[in-house]
Amino acid sequence: MMYLNPHLMMLPILLPLLAGATMVFINERHHRLKFLINLSSTAVMLFTAIQLLMQAQSGLWPADMAVYLAANWSAPFGIALVADRLAAVMLILTATLGAATLVFSYSRWSKTGVHFHTLFQLLLMGINGAILTADLFNLFVFFEVMLAASYGLLLHGYNISRIRAGMQYIVVNLVASLFFLIGIALVYAATGTLNFADLALKIATLDNTDRFILQTGAAILAVAFLTKSAMWPLSFWLPVTYSAACAPVAAMLVLLTKIGVYVILRLWWLLFSDHSGASAGFGGSVLLCGGLLTLAFGAVGLLASQEPRRIASFSAIISSGTLLALIGYGDAALLSSALFYLISSTLAVAAFIMLTELTDRIYTPAASVLALSMEAFAVEEDPQETAGVVVPAAMAFLGLTFAACALIMAGLPPLSGFVAKFSILHGLLDSSAAHAPLWARWLILTLLLVAGLSAIIALMRFGVRTFWTLYNSVPLRLHPTEALPILAILLLGVSMVFTAGPLFSLLDRVSTDLQQTPAYIERVLQHQVISTEEVL
Amino acid sequence: MTRWLPSPLLSLALLLLWLMLNQTLEPAHLLLGAALAIAAPLLTAPLRPFKARIRRPGAVLRLFCWSFLEIIRSCFNVSRIILFSKADNLNSQFIKIPLSLQDPTGLAVLSCLINCTPGTVWVEILQDTHELSLHVFDLHDENWWIDTIKHRYESPLMTIFEQEVP
Amino acid sequence: MMQIPADIPAWLAIIVALLLICGSLITLVGTLGLLRLPHFYQRIHGPAITITFGAGCFLLASMLYFTALQERPVIHELLITAFIMLTAPVTAMLLMRTAVYRDLRNGRRIADMATDPQPVTGLSATAGAKSSGLMEEPRDRNPE
Amino acid sequence: MTLLLLLLLPFLGCVIAACMPAYARNREAWFAAFIALCGLLLTLSLYPEVSSGIVIKHELAWLPMFNLNLVLRMDGLAWLFSVLIQGICLLVVLYARYYMSPKDPVPRFFAFLLAFMGAMQGVVISGNLIQLVMFWELTSLTSFLLIGYWHHRADARRGARMAFTVTSIGGLCLLAGVLLLGYIAGSYDLDAVLASADVIRAHQAYAPALLLIALGALTKSAQFPFHFWLPHAMAAPTPVSAYLHSATMVKAGIFLLMRLWPVLAGTPEWTWIIGTAGVCTMLIGAYLAIFQHDLKGLLAYSTISHLGLITCLLGIGTPLAMVAAIFHTLNHAIFKASLFMAVGIIDHESGTRDMRKLSGLSRLMPYTATLAIVASAAMAGVPLLNGFLSKEMFFAEALLVGASTNWWMSAAAVLMGVFGVAYSMRFISVFFGARATELPKQPHEPPRWMRFPVELLVLCCLIVGVAPQLSIGVPLQTAAASVLGERLPDYNLAIWHGINTPLIMSVLAFALGILLFKVLKYRFNLLQSIHIPVLYRFNGKQAYESSMLILASSAARLERLFSTRRLQPQLFLLVLAGLFASALMLQAMPDFKHAWSVDNVNLPFAMLWLVGCTCAVCAAWQAKYHRLAALMLVGGTGIVTSLTFLWLSAPDLALTQLMVETVTTVLLLLGLRWLPSRISARKMNLVASNRDKLRRSRDLVIAIIAGSVMFVISYFVLLHPANFTISNFFLDNAVPGGGGTNVVNVLLVDFRNFDTLGEITVLSIVALTVYALLRRFRPAQESIGIPAQQANQVDPASRQTPAEQANSGYLLIPGIYLRLLLPVIGISAAYFFMRGHNLPGGGFIAGLVFAVGMIIQYMLAGTVWIESRLKLNPHRWIAVGIGLACFTGLGSLLLGYPFLTTHTAHVTVPLLGEIHLPSAFIFDLGVFAVVVGTTMLILIALAHQSVRSHRVPGAQQDNSTAASREIR
Amino acid sequence: MKLLLEISLYFSQFCVVLAMLLCMLRLLKGPTAQDRVLALDTIWMCAMLFALLLGISFASLVYFEWAMLIALTGFVSSVALAKFLMRGEIIE
Amino acid sequence: MELTIALSIGVLFSSGIWLILRPRSFQVITGLLLLSYAVNLFIFITGRLSVNKPPLIIQGEAVDPALYADPLPQALVLTAIVIGFATTALYLVVLLGSRGLTGTDHVDGKERDSEE
Ligand code: NA
Ligand code: NA
């Protein structure tokens, strides 16, 4: 494989920034041009992410990770960025989902307001930055970039429900960001450093007082991250927000939740691994219990959900809960399954949200009330009509894609959701060396199955009411740019089943990487700045 | 000249400002300061519709000296009143003073002097009558005020900012 | 807490100290006026001495002190004087006018205007007609 | 390879079938039949191998890390089921060709049918338990689609939902059970699992695994108490019923029990769970079948009953019972399929399936009637038909179990036989009696080829019934052997075993059955009665819907209880979570004794913060009704904060905070204009309710606790000396590496300029968002008009435009100053910018200063006048600023350094000496531009709302009311 | 002499902060909004004076810019508040 | 000074927390302002307090860290101040939009029955 430009790592951050800035100049009249810029930027991002992954896999990088010292100051003094397999996988997920939602937004949402495209690119910048950075305060900055863009996008297509949701989402996140800052300050007060690797190095040697300050800081940081990743009881903003946002934005918000999980995953494994002395495993039980509660809450909420967006919301909450519980469970062997699940569920929920925008065109509130009451009283219709009804192609497409989404979300075979769920369950049964108590294993197992069941019930209820009960008199219009991204995402979900073998071996490497704390520390802290001699 | 340096006095003041800010007389700063002092008025010209012309620098100096003393004096007056007078004995009043000064810049300087003098606050110029409405902290003699303002302040200002003295 | 050079000349110390004490006392008096005087139209005169005389003393002290300390003319404090001269009148003027028109709009009689048969402004005749009784401090509960 | 083809063929067919045109009934049918025929032939081609006892396996690697490969495995049992699946599918397809209306869009039907067949095929040839579960769930899914084929009908939807809900719950249980089984056996491979049968039965997880798997199987096979979904699944088109409820769907559960029989059976748990479920099901099913009025309903309950019988046989657990179970499965598939098809014909030709309306059909459709009667005789277990043989075997096994003590098993078997005869009588009664007159259609014989499948199946009934050993002996033995292995018992598939107890039981059952039917018919008006005796209360349909509804509503109640859609509780929880996190600090409480000394207190500083804190507390107190006062109070805290930064050696922070204070005040004032006033509760004579008071005190307590915690943490941190921090590096390198003496600025534009880049991005995003929002801003109704202050004629300015006010009105005199201030502020901004690298200042501060200078101009002369003279275009400033910052960073790439590496150019100019031009300078210029752009964009966008709203026509009319709202 | 200056500086600091405290009381009491604006404006001015005192105390010029910035832009919020009270909006 | 500033951070934090738990959007924005002060001060003090030691390097001398305040928290606070300003602006506009569209200044965009 060709030697790769070392600056490639910056591309996922710089490109969207430049593209976003460029698009500020372009008048909204040239919507198509903006779309093209946006799409090409996202495509290049995807390509870059894939390249990064291939590099990480190729073994060309020491410790299989690339370190980038922004402004040429060595870690821990300057800001370091680290691309490893996990980061690359997350970048790929981001770019993929970004491209899909972008194409989806083409026919409607990207035209409705101003600066949609700029905000979209900057959102991607924030996400990519948060994925790549290895510095706590820089993480805060990129979180703010990401959140600020998400505020803007959430309010895109200004209406009453969006503004209500925006109030909630913004305030909750602002307060969470304040906690974030307090946490950073405490971590700095205890260790005098902000770099992840340096933190991991220092944490083992801290005296008791500093350790307590650090752990308090970490706990407060966790509050911020857990709010973003929607752990119960910090997750109530999520259904409101997902229900209000326009479809492409809500789909991206699904990813944002997962970024919170990603940060927890990375930081927790780095800072509180077995190498961190007395702090090892700190807070794991909170993550575990919180995750389980979230999972249970998600399952209950899903059963209670009638509207599609709430179904999506609670599915996202369930997946957050599952991931948090698995992280807290503390078995490295489960990480690959968790990541597979993360990818699969993110894609499915995002696709489902996009789908809801299309089903909203056939799903009228009045008709749904009628369907509901007919179900409730088991009304018997005169079943004399014995001929079927022709389903138009658009409806058939929607039905099919809905079914696929539902299968993945509920973890039913044969799509990726089942593989994910199976691998988690298998891993749970198989896990022997886990720190977590035995009850946790059985509780996760049970809750996962129960959550799957409630997903089945909720999705079936929604599907039957939407696709089998009601027809719009006007033929359903389906723009190809709306259909294609959904289809593409779902095909990914399908292909994940066939490529599950290689995918799992990749993810196994990811989880191995995560456990190599000393290697990470050494790799980051030993990375040399580029000296003048080198350049000349 | 006027094209590139529409208000030389302002430019000079800005140059002075720059040098005082940087507390230096280095040639680099002189050059940079000059450039900024020329550029700033040019760039802000559209937003400054009124141009001031100052004719009698000597009168300016005299006016300021007198005002300075008046400020010190009023300052102690006001302090004394705050500390030692009963509020009931205060005769705070609005008074009106007919003005003949028309130049906005002149009026502005007048307002500055009045407002900087403790014990008096400029309210506004009544547009219909071109009278100055003034609030006096402790009024003893209204006519004294009218007289002082007209002669001590207004007429020097008119000589400075306006062509003919009435 | 303070870092005054030990070898500071006596004359300088005395002058600066005097200026500072004078300035701070005037400042205190000005704000005392702000607190104690009964009406807004009187209170607005209190801070004026703080701004002019108090600031003047401090600036002079600073100028002298640093000029002596650095053995070069330190006069950039004049800038503060200039800026204050440029900005403080605007505040006073606008605040005064605000107060007057808010009172007029609320139909409040301004006690200070009572002796003057003519209303303050050309258009405040209506306000004058309405006005009766003593000026009372309005309860400004809901200013926005 | 054949196995793979066998598996893939139906799915391939499904895709092709789905793509065919909507009304291509013939083409569809022939195509589907072709697929089924191919499948059948493929299966039959495997017979030689299978019958010789070879287990054909085909393995595909999939997830080796989980020991999970795709294994296709064909043995005798799988082969027998495969034949059933493919063969009956072929017949059903043929039948459906005639049954489905020409108006039906059949591609969907055949596609689903083929997919279902594929899934079923997958279940039986899975050599891996997980894979089996996958296909299992797929059968649930495809059957859901088939049952709901006529989805415009509520009963079809409900039937589909019920079936899917029940079977997928079972599926999840099965998954759990299979996982446990795999966990015990160490592999999901069927052979491995079968090989470790003894280990499994001895394992402590055996009981839960058995229970879970049993739940899976029993739900699928509609066993009591999960049987209720099956009758409602009859809403499907009859070919679907014929297929699903004879040979496939429900038989999947049976198949699973047979498949795992060697592993799980033979324990008391097995017998109890499986046996009890079987007995109950067969009795209840048979009993309920008697009282049905719908022909399909009767068949549905009879299916339940027969499935119960098979389950019961499996539960008995003897090898011979296993043989009987396989045999009966086969027999039941054959006669039940034919019966369903016959019913379909009746329905199709007469337009109804209601037995209360139908009678005397044998005269109208004699041929069909004969077939149906023969098939139902097989169902009743009449000798010389296949049903008889397996029923005899069942009786024998029941006797074996119930010989000594458990006589109830034999009794149950006879009772089931009695009921079976009764409902069969009931079934055939439609063919006799007077000719029905009031039928929707005039019944007649169906088309030739529609009847053909029934004929074929009935023929099979006869052949098997007459010559069992000859016809079915070998396959049956192969199948049984593949399950039982060496335990295969000797048995004799003869028609006549002599007069023995089972025969007596059969005869008894016949006699009593006929008697029962007569009694019910003539005494209890069976044919018209609506209520089912004893069990009438149980209405599966309503129960399902009600339970679903209760589930949803109780979930909704739970969800409401454990969540909220309101902001305040969320913030409360967030604060609480933060407090819990901070509670960790309490473990490390240092002793504060020495810390409380007074010499720690600087009096002016303490007084300063007395001001700051009082302002903050009062702002908190005033913010509700006195927004402006609160805003000013916050300003008081702000200035104290800024002064503190200045005092405590952070001049850059102090300057920034100061400017941000000003800009924030302006911003909030711009916003306040659009917030209508609040009337205080006291004025409205509102008294806070107790709940409100309680909440307020709760919040107060939490706030105080939070503040105290923050105090403790802060004090703790302050008293705890800092160890080594990375800051020393910055101090050491600021001048040599960063080229600036102001370390904070060097941090911002050099060491950590990446943060700054992100920060200006945040600013830009917010500005753009604000702009986008304000473009669609709709102000509150009360604030649309011009403000009361401007509407009041007392002020002469109310008659002037903003420009007039500034150029000749009351703002003329202040305007002279303010306009002079603009270049002054500009120069000052330049000053702060230039010195930033070495002294407090920099792009942020300069940008804010400059923006404030511009804002003053806007405040003075209004938007219209300013913008007619100067186009600031803040968007451009933002984009250019980001561009500058980025390109500065990219410049270093050209030199081979990482992004944003700073460089300093040292230029020697003759007159001026050496000039240092760090690239950080350009970066800072970008920061400056972004700060100016964002601040201006936000403030101007807000300011523009005034101009916009004044254009609103209705605004002027509002003046009178606006004036009346004049502020006190 | 150093002591004299230190004492006088300390006294001045005390006085100025006390002045701020008095202003704050007016800010709390009101009663009219213009009173509060005036009080806030005076607080800012006192803060400026305090910065000058800090500069003298520490014999450092670093504190000057802050005071200068207040002198230059401190009035903006007061003017904005005043205009808001007078006109109901600050940018028309 | 340590005690004073710690107490002040506590008071500001308390006031801010009280305000963000209130139902009116203006109360919340005021609370956010106060909270930002508290948090900024808190970040600032993690560099511990130092008087008259601004991190402005005196050139020509060896750098003694004891003579300078910790610059890093200052840089962090600077970023936090600016971001805080930006988010305040955004929240303000959303608040106004909510007031306009929903007709109430309640944070939920709808009045509750028994509300303050
Ligand atoms: Na005055
Ligand atoms: Na700076």
Side-chain angles (χ1 to χ4, degrees), chain A residues 352-412:
Chain A
F352 181 70
I353 285 179
M354 292 194 253
L355 197 61
T356 58
E357 162 126 350
L358 307 181
T359 57
D360 277 350
R361 297 177 197 168
I362 47 175
Y363 186 86
T364 57
S368 77
V369 168
L370 182 70
L372 183 66
S373 59
M374 273 174 61
E375 277 168 22
F377 300 109
V379 174
E380 201 67 76
E381 279 176 314
D382 197 14
Q384 294 315 315
E385 187 66 44
T386 51
V389 180
V390 178
V391 177
M395 276 295 285
F397 171 81
L398 288 188
L400 206 66
T401 46
F402 166 76
C405 281
L407 289 181
I408 302 179
M409 281 157 73
L412 285 182

Side-chain angles (χ1 to χ4, degrees), chain C residues 21-94:
Chain C
I21 290 169
C22 192
S24 55
L25 284 176
I26 286 283
T27 303
L28 203 56
V29 171
T31 48
L32 198 67
L34 175 69
L35 186 66
R36 277 193 48 213
L37 292 168
H39 304 309
F40 174 79
Y41 299 110
Q42 293 164 346
R43 289 195 277 263
I44 196 170
H45 295 285
I49 58 171
T50 303
I51 292 165
T52 51
F53 198 80
C57 286
F58 280 36
L59 290 168
L60 198 59
S62 176
M63 260 195 285
L64 280 173
Y65 181 70
F66 283 108
T67 306
L69 214 62
Q70 307 220 337
E71 294 166 342
R72 69 177 171 100
V74 176
I75 50 164
H76 62 182
E77 279 81 356
L78 287 178
L79 284 178
I80 293 189
T81 318
F83 292 161
I84 287 182
M85 296 259 290
L86 218 58
T87 59
V90 181
T91 316
M93 237 185 292
L94 285 177

